[in-house]
Amino acid sequence: NAGVTQTPKFQVLKTGQSMTLQCAQDMNHEYMSWYRQDPGMGLRLIHYSVGAGITDQGEVPNGYNVSRSTTEDFPLRLLSAAPSQTSVYFCASMGWGGEQYFGPGTRLTVT
Amino acid sequence: SQKIEQNSEALNIQEGKTATLTCNYTNYSPAYLQWYRQDPGRGPVFLLLIRENEKEKRKERLKVTFDTTLKQSLFHITASQPADSATYLCALVRDYGGSQGNLIFGKGTKLSVKP
């Protein structure tokens, strides 16, 4: 069981570039989500999905897109990167008891 | 709006003592509350979950209490060890149903246990 995996671990983008952060889980969890973590802010929910084909916005969705074509994968797309999107991004899936399993994170810098 | 506060940014204690971390919330009655541990450069790791109708939960040296009248959860680590040094995050879930995975996190308390 790999749990929740994320790629890449680190990424540097220039303002205006786009990219996709990958997330996959092998636990057959229906619910998956993306958070960003900034110093002094705590983790904030970007988007979430309650199952394949269903996504919804969290607290800070602007500038990000998601899709969920399979149970396993939940990619996060940055459409046009901005310096304000410099952050650490965590993907998570929810177990049957409500506990969340987080990936190792992607550290993104936008210059 | 929903607010969740962890009272201390940092807590320093001596090995063997009990660490007590506090989490307070306002404006909502959460369905349940969770505690996570986060080490530098890593994702949060789930520790304990306590539901609104539960007063206390234990797991090995960890204990969580949940007081819905005070709107407060306390997280205790007994017989603390240097390996317990980490940042501990409190998170609450407002609803059951489809959005029950939507966690609202506190900013965390960084615990340092000195030998």
Side-chain angles (χ1 to χ4, degrees), chain A residues 46-70:
Chain A
I46 305 171
H47 284 285
Y48 68 98
S49 168
V50 299
I54 307 168
T55 64
D56 206 344
Q57 296 180 351
E59 180 188 354
V60 288
N62 291 341
Y64 307 96
N65 268 1
V66 292
S67 60
R68 184 98 179 270
S69 55
T70 67

Side-chain angles (χ1 to χ4, degrees), chain A residues 24-82:
Chain A
Q25 52 96 7
D26 61 359
M27 297 172 281
N28 202 32
H29 291 160
E30 293 292 337
Y31 180 97
M32 295 184 73
S33 55
W34 278 99
Y35 289 85
R36 61 178 287 174
Q37 187 173 38
D38 302 292
M41 296 290 291
L43 285 144
R44 292 180 293 168
L45 181 66
I46 305 171
H47 284 285
Y48 68 98
S49 168
V50 299
I54 307 168
T55 64
D56 206 344
Q57 296 180 351
E59 180 188 354
V60 288
N62 291 341
Y64 307 96
N65 268 1
V66 292
S67 60
R68 184 98 179 270
S69 55
T70 67
T71 299
E72 293 78 20
D73 300 298
F74 190 41
L76 178 73
R77 277 182 287 278
L78 278 70
L79 308 171
S80 176

